Amino acid sequence: MSNRQLRLWPAVAVVLVAGCVTVPSNIVPVGKDTYQLSMTGVGFATQANTNVKALKTAGDYCDKLGKHLVMQRNTESGVYGWSPRQSNLTFLCLDANDPDYTHKVQASVTVSN
């Protein structure tokens, strides 16, 4: 391999990594214990990858508040390889003893049994 080819490898690595980047928005309060964020996946990030990163960001935010994440809804947009994928997530951060949280936890346990 020539010196010129060796010098190109860092640039190639940056392009490959940048192809899977996701960019979060600020988390915005939209109601009592309710928040919204948008996560945009650029390049070759998949919709699933963008959604997971949005959920992780929301979970980390609720953890910092000492609360638990409850997802309300997620809307998706974008076409893989054509336009950026976007996940618009609305979520709640609730205390463990909040009646809405305990109700949702009990409902999910009942559904999964």
Side-chain angles (χ1 to χ4, degrees), residues 46-67:
T46 64
Q47 187 67 57
N49 178 272
T50 304
N51 293 350
V52 166
K53 288 186 178 182
L55 283 169
K56 171 133 180 45
T57 301
D60 291 347
Y61 183 80
C62 290
D63 286 347
K64 286 179 187 175
L65 298 176
K67 298 185 178 189

